[in-house]
């Protein structure tokens, strides 16, 4: 909670064999999380995810996590 700072959270997702997707929450702690992205990926799909802050709607991603890799298990 606090005053607006202009940053938003952006999640980048690269599922193997599927197109790149991303979602963002531009409203911070004002009203909970942003709009969810529903994906139907089969069990066993490998993916890479990276989460960043973005300075404004068209800003540059900053303070990014390292790329994390995983596999859809359920």
């Amino acid at each position: 909670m606090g005053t607006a700072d202009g940053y938003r959270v952006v999640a980048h997702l690269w599922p193997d064999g599927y197109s790149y997707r991303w979602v963002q929450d531009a409203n911070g702690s004002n009203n909970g999380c942003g709009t969810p992205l529903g994906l139907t990926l089969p069990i066993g799909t490998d993916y890479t995810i990276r989460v960043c802050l973005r300075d404004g709607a068209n800003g540059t991603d900053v303070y990014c996590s390292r790329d994390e890799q995983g596999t859809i298990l359920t």
Side-chain angles (χ1 to χ4, degrees):
M1 302 293 258
T3 59
D5 61 9
Y7 285 95
R8 59 194 62 220
V9 175
V10 180
H12 303 274
L13 179 69
W14 296 271
D16 287 357
Y18 297 88
S19 60
Y20 159 78
R21 303 297 296 262
W22 67 277
V23 293
Q24 66 178 333
D25 182 5
N27 221 357
S29 62
N30 189 34
N31 68 347
C33 296
T35 304
L37 173 66
L39 295 176
T40 303
L41 297 172
I43 292 172
T45 300
D46 293 324
Y47 64 87
T48 302
I49 190 168
R50 179 187 311 144
V51 180
C52 304
L53 289 180
R54 182 174 290 168
D55 188 2
N58 299 311
T60 302
D61 288 352
V62 294
Y63 305 113
C64 294
S65 69
R66 65 182 182 182
D67 288 359
E68 297 289 344
Q69 297 177 337
T71 302
I72 304 293
L73 299 177
T74 58

